[in-house]
Amino acid sequence: MSSASFYKWRSKYGGMDAALLLEMTAIAEEIKRLKRM
């Protein structure tokens, strides 16, 4: 993983706890699924 990728990831997800991160990824997957319909 490059340092640029790490800092981009940290700026996006830095303040979140694990439960919030899992919920956000689940919502993103649901949106992707609905867009394919």
Side-chain angles (χ1 to χ4, degrees):
M1 173 186 257
S2 70
S3 60
S5 296
F6 172 74
Y7 288 116
K8 184 178 177 184
W9 178 87
R10 192 175 79 173
S11 70
K12 188 173 183 180
Y13 300 112
M16 297 183 183
D17 61 346
L20 184 59
L21 183 59
L22 288 174
E23 184 178 334
M24 188 173 143
T25 54
I27 291 170
E29 288 297 319
E30 181 72 12
I31 290 170
K32 283 181 194 177
R33 188 183 66 79
L34 291 172
K35 283 184 177 181
R36 278 187 258 139
M37 294 177 112

